[in-house]
Amino acid sequence: MMAECGGGGGGGGGVGGPRKKALSLLEAARSRYESLQISDDVFGESGQDSSGNPFYSTSADSRSSSAASSEDEDDPTTSSISCSSAASAPPPQPLAREVEAAPEGPVRGGGVCCFQGGGGRCVPRVEEATCGQRQLQSHQLPGPMDEEDEEERGGWTQTLRDIPPPRFEDTSGPTRKMPPSASAMDFFQLFVPDNVLKNMVVQTNMYAKKYQERFGSDGAWAEVTLTEMKTFLGYMISTSIYHCESVLSIWSSGFYSNKSIALVMSQSRFEKILKYFHVVAFRSSQTTHGLYKIQPFLDSLQYGFDSAFRPSQTQVLHEPLIDEDPVFIATCTERELRKRKKRKFSLWVRQCSSTGFISQIYVHLKEGGGADGLDTLKNKPQLHSMVAKSLCRNAAGKNYIIFTGPSITSLPLFEEFEKQEIYCCGLLSSRKSDCTGLPLSMLNNSDVPQVRGQYRIKVKGNMSLICWYNKGPFRFLTNAYSPVQQGVIIKRKSGEIPCPLAVEAFAAHLSYICKYDDKYSKYFISHKPNKTWQQVFWFAISIAINNAYILYKMSEAYHVKRYSRAQFGERLVKELLGLEDTSPSH
């Protein structure tokens, strides 16, 4: 059975009819957003919505047209989902839905025993159709019958069962209450405390001594101090606020000069510290990791993230925007651009979709002979699976819901995560995803033109495979949301487009992360060194500052002085340079 659910907002007769209809839809969207517990704009300032998300966009019109071939239709970059939203309103999280208790005892279905035990889901499930299930099945599309028997033998069936959501009993948010007088430096030092900075001082001085023993004495060098190291970091961080093309521009007489901070340290002294700066000066005999010069710092940073914040149940695995700063690209000559070396690493994160706080960082080197090196695995399906396992190694047993992109989504990975009480919802692509164990009838595109809002679902145990249409087919794999629960995508022009709850949840959370990325990329440290470990270091410092600002917005200090992200960065730079009072406030 099919239901024509697209274009629901195109009606409205009489004068002002369409406008009145559009306003009512906007109000419905705002009401829906306000009923959900997603924080406001994480950077405290409005901005345009992301257009880089291949799946979801908050623009008025879809940015893509219907796919011309089955390959294009399966690529999420050729289609988008749109919904209405206030300019600074946060995206919706799926509303909690209560599930009625079912009779005790095992029930057959989907080729596996459906009596549930553990994993935070203790409610047995039944195959008996409920009212919500019958409503959802009315939107399903018929699949090819000749493959049905084979797929049922593999455990996939069209008989839908209600699945209770994973229980999340952990508390989320900051673990430490900061006083109202807490400064930007106080929040930053939750992740980069003085003992870490002192270690940088020791390692930098050790490297300078060894370097001069080998290559000759440097009469202009004097051992760096903790105060100078903070000043050095302050100058580097200032490039993320003022977007100067080079950190040395601070002392120039050009457009990017900054006389207000240039007098704290001379340019020659800064260049000397930059020359010898190290986090780990020497490789130990047991060290084989390519990031040995920064791994202790990354471990310390991870400890700070874990100690300062507990993420919400819903999180996203993705690669954040770490490309060249757009202001630098606009002012850089073509010759300078050609000189830029391509990044030799890949950086992935696990990010809380309710606040934007990055809970975990994972770095893969593109060069290296190790068995887990990016060169070894870049053409194999297990690369992104291994990345996902590394990012979620501390998430087991907490009933987290993880959203993933096509490169990570796979049935074997989701089944392995479910054994660890980690639940997933991911977008599928027949070209980018590992489709092992998935029914072919759900992966092949239909020759018959489909109507926006139609979908069909097959289930295997707790796993649901969804094929949903919105200017092209979108496929989702999930064990976190019930296949009989219905959601909605709200568009300004088309009104409400029906969809399974998993689709709405995916769109909402990925949209929030894209909005975060739009802001986040504006505040990266612009300094681009040639050495890989230094590139990773400054990216990690940028992430730490963003996390510090998120904790600041969730603290009482934000209600005393409401700084935007740019203002917070300026305060941090001045405090590192000693231009502001940073007396201990806790």
Side-chain angles (χ1 to χ4, degrees), residues 338-376:
R338 285 198 300 266
K339 288 183 178 180
R340 312 296 286 188
K341 293 184 178 180
K342 293 183 178 180
R343 284 190 290 110
K344 297 179 180 180
F345 65 93
S346 175
L347 189 146
W348 294 74
V349 300
R350 174 163 58 90
Q351 188 169 10
C352 173
S353 63
S354 294
T355 61
F357 190 95
I358 291 180
S359 302
Q360 185 106 18
I361 300 176
Y362 186 76
V363 181
H364 252 301
L365 292 179
K366 293 182 179 179
E367 296 179 351
D372 61 343
L374 196 58
D375 274 348
T376 306

Side-chain angles (χ1 to χ4, degrees), residues 6-14 16-22 25 492-495:
R19 177 178 176 82
K20 189 172 183 180
K21 180 80 171 180
L25 290 174
R492 287 188 178 95
K493 291 190 175 182
S494 302

